Amino acid sequence: MKIIIAGAGEVGTHLAKMLSQEKQDIILMDPNEERLNFTNSSMEILPMVGNPTSIRDLEEAGIRKADLFVSVTPEETTNVAASILASKLGAHKTLARINNYEYLLPKNKELFEKMGIDSMIYPEMLAAKEIVTAVRRPWTRQYWELFGGALILIGVKVRDNSRLVNKHLSELLNEQKLYHIVAIKRQNETIIPRGTDRIESGDIVFFTTTKSHIEDVRLHAGKRDPEVKKVIIMGGSRIAIRTCQYLPNNIRVKVIETNKEKSHRIAEVVPGNVLIINGDGRDTDLLMQEGIKDAQAFIALTDNSSTNILACLAAKRAGVFKTIAKIENIDYIPLAESMDIGSVINKKLIAASHIYQFLLDADVSNVKCLTFANADVAELVARPDSKITRKQVKDLNLPKDLTLGGLIRDGEPMMIKGDTHIQAYDHVVVFCLDTAMRKLEDYFN
């Protein structure tokens, strides 16, 4: 597959690296030659100095034979214009990164599709929604609704007080109707578990379940679930503003921003339950003065990953139950996990999740890259006479780095067991390590 990525910033560079591992034909285009220096490594990425809104540069990149054109430069207008040009010049599919929620409204999406933009992503908005979800379910590390909420994926860190600790999965067969354990993250290793695998204290365990059994997952994981009434946010970024707008009005929110002018601008656009404070969120005395000890959640959204991690550690010491850190440096995510930072927000992974959908030939409705695990979750539809429908699950010889988490049949969610026989048009949740994502096509097409 030939893929042209415009914009060698954080999102574009991460995408190019990720896709190069899948042996795609990747061209990374940027007008700034210095941004393309990283491609001197062994990765199979062709760097190209060029402007994505230049017809000549697009044609030189081979846009007429491109299967996918992705524009993720910092400039929204550039991304929109480049995607429209790419479509008109022959690109099969186009995707643009945007900063304007208005563009995503159904009436406007249709307009952009007619202009040639197949999909648009707004990473800041998606990040804000993930933060709000983390605040609503503070006992989880990750919480994600699949198939419109019919099935739920939950990542939880289990400790000694969990009834699951020191149990082999084969001992938990009675719980299979309540939930299915699809993965275990242990230190730097992600395990797709089998019956012989044992859950250990400190593991992050990923469950699939239905809405009616979320509480069972919480109780079995040994987690408290405090009501979040007060939230403190450090850093007045666009993600922070969106988060304030999405959080329920009955939650009191304080945003601490160092820049005075920015503080005034933010105050004009956030709801009435939000108080903007001009100050340094790293100042312990200021945090104490603003009631950090009474807050149930602390969210660090500055542009500095190290600052966000350290601020969350300080908030934990002050007794805050839930901490959330924006960490754009992917190498820092294992560090954050080892320090017990609650939830991690990473725009690169969020963007990658959405763009991944364009790369699978199978009928995929959603893909999620999991922050704490080198793994993906996909929602797929089993096509008639596909390999996945021919035998019971236990006889399919599925790859060891792939497992089935649950399915929807005729609108009814159900867990998948060894004797489950997947039928045509079942909607199936698949959990797999990064390397297995492309194998899905063999089973579902």
Side-chain angles (χ1 to χ4, degrees):
M1 184 179 282
K2 183 182 179 70
I3 302 168
I4 300 173
I5 300 172
E10 288 185 336
V11 173
T13 301
H14 173 67
L15 268 173
K17 287 178 180 177
M18 181 183 72
L19 297 174
S20 70
Q21 295 169 3
E22 297 195 353
K23 296 184 170 52
Q24 307 288 358
D25 180 8
I26 309 294
I27 293 176
L28 182 60
M29 173 189 286
D30 198 285
N32 187 336
E33 189 173 359
E34 289 182 8
R35 288 185 178 175
L36 297 166
N37 286 340
F38 84 95
T39 53
N40 293 332
S41 67
S42 59
M43 290 179 297
E44 294 182 12
I45 299 171
L46 180 62
M48 177 183 167
V49 179
N51 186 335
T53 58
S54 161
I55 293 175
R56 185 186 66 185
D57 289 350
L58 287 172
E59 289 190 326
E60 190 179 324
I63 195 67
R64 295 187 188 279
K65 294 183 179 179
D67 296 288
L68 176 64
F69 175 82
V70 178
S71 192
V72 286
T73 77
E75 297 299 324
E76 178 183 71
T77 51
T78 298
N79 296 333
V80 170
S83 297
I84 292 170
L85 278 174
S87 176
K88 301 303 180 190
L89 291 170
H92 183 59
K93 283 189 177 180
T94 64
L95 181 145
R97 176 183 179 172
I98 59 166
N99 304 321
N100 189 340
Y101 173 71
E102 231 186 342
Y103 291 175
L104 295 176
L105 296 174
K107 60 178 182 180
N108 296 332
K109 278 180 75 175
E110 190 177 333
L111 169 67
F112 282 108
E113 283 171 6
K114 287 178 180 175
M115 293 164 67
I117 303 178
D118 295 292
S119 185
M120 294 178 286
I121 56 166
Y122 182 3
E124 287 80 8
M125 183 193 77
L126 297 170
K129 287 185 174 180
E130 288 205 5
I131 290 169
V132 172
T133 298
V135 170
R136 288 179 183 271
R137 305 274 182 182
W139 55 276
T140 67
R141 290 296 175 98
Q142 289 196 310
Y143 180 95
W144 194 43
E145 294 190 350
L146 303 150
F147 301 115
L151 288 170
I152 312 292
L153 173 74
I154 301 174
V156 186
K157 186 157 193 171
V158 297
R159 306 185 192 277
D160 290 332
N161 66 329
S162 168
R163 59 174 287 184
L164 305 175
V165 168
N166 296 325
K167 294 275 183 70
H168 289 90
L169 264 64
S170 57
E171 298 175 64
L172 301 173
L173 290 175
N174 291 336
E175 275 80 26
Q176 279 197 359
K177 292 180 181 178
L178 306 178
Y179 52 74
H180 179 53
I181 295 174
V182 292
I184 299 169
K185 178 70 189 299
R186 182 171 299 152
Q187 296 177 348
N188 294 323
E189 182 186 10
T190 301
I191 302 163
I192 301 295
R194 301 290 181 256
T196 54
D197 285 301
R198 189 170 66 108
I199 296 171
E200 297 179 6
S201 180
D203 286 349
I204 296 177
V205 181
F206 290 90
F207 304 81
T208 48
T209 190
T210 58
K211 277 194 172 176
S212 56
H213 293 301
I214 292 170
E215 189 66 3
D216 291 303
V217 171
R218 184 182 72 79
L219 293 172
H220 288 197
K223 291 296 181 181
R224 292 192 299 117
D225 188 21
E227 184 183 359
V228 176
K229 297 178 180 178
K230 181 177 178 180
V231 174
I232 294 178
I233 299 176
M234 182 177 82
S237 62
R238 282 190 303 195
I239 296 176
I241 294 168
R242 279 281 167 204
T243 300
C244 291
Q245 292 168 341
Y246 294 153
L247 281 169
N249 291 330
N250 62 341
I251 294 179
R252 290 180 296 132
V253 183
K254 290 185 177 181
V255 178
I256 302 175
E257 167 55 45
T258 53
N259 185 295
K260 197 169 186 177
E261 289 181 17
K262 197 173 180 181
S263 300
H264 292 311
R265 290 200 303 271
I266 296 168
E268 293 174 0
V269 295
V270 293
N273 61 316
V274 181
L275 179 64
I276 309 299
I277 295 152
N278 179 222
D280 190 341
R282 297 170 297 181
D283 185 340
T284 307
D285 291 337
L286 176 63
L287 289 174
M288 290 297 181
Q289 185 182 320
E290 296 303 332
I292 186 75
K293 286 185 175 292
D294 301 323
Q296 292 78 39
F298 178 85
I299 307 166
L301 297 175
T302 75
D303 290 330
N304 189 305
S305 297
S306 304
T307 298
N308 293 340
I309 292 172
L310 292 172
C312 284
L313 284 175
K316 283 266 187 190
R317 289 201 184 97
V320 177
F321 181 81
K322 179 70 175 182
T323 57
I324 303 168
K326 187 185 89 162
I327 299 178
E328 288 305 316
N329 187 332
I330 289 177
D331 295 335
Y332 282 15
I333 293 177
L335 174 67
E337 206 292 298
S338 67
M339 291 179 167
D340 248 3
I341 301 301
S343 294
V344 165
I345 299 298
N346 182 286
K347 285 190 299 183
K348 300 175 198 173
L349 293 179
I350 291 170
S353 297
H354 287 257
I355 295 169
Y356 236 19
Q357 294 166 43
F358 286 82
L359 307 179
L360 291 168
D361 293 333
D363 190 352
V364 180
S365 60
N366 217 338
V367 177
K368 169 76 171 173
C369 299
L370 296 177
T371 315
F372 283 121
N374 299 320
D376 303 302
V377 182
E379 303 173 11
L380 297 107
V381 178
R383 294 182 180 176
D385 201 37
S386 56
K387 190 188 293 187
I388 202 78
T389 64
R390 294 173 193 167
K391 298 177 182 177
Q392 292 184 345
V393 169
K394 64 184 178 183
D395 299 322
L396 283 171
N397 293 321
L398 291 171
K400 289 184 179 179
D401 48 5
L402 182 155
T403 188
L404 309 179
L407 63 83
I408 308 290
R409 180 176 295 160
D410 298 327
E412 288 296 315
M414 60 182 76
M415 296 296 99
I416 291 177
K417 295 182 286 185
D419 60 357
T420 302
H421 197 134
I422 292 170
Q423 298 176 11
Y425 306 112
D426 281 352
H427 293 248
V428 184
V429 176
V430 182
F431 194 107
C432 59
L433 301 184
D434 286 350
T435 52
M437 181 58 82
R438 301 297 298 180
K439 298 176 187 176
L440 296 181
E441 298 169 16
D442 294 337
Y443 284 90
F444 283 85
N445 276 338

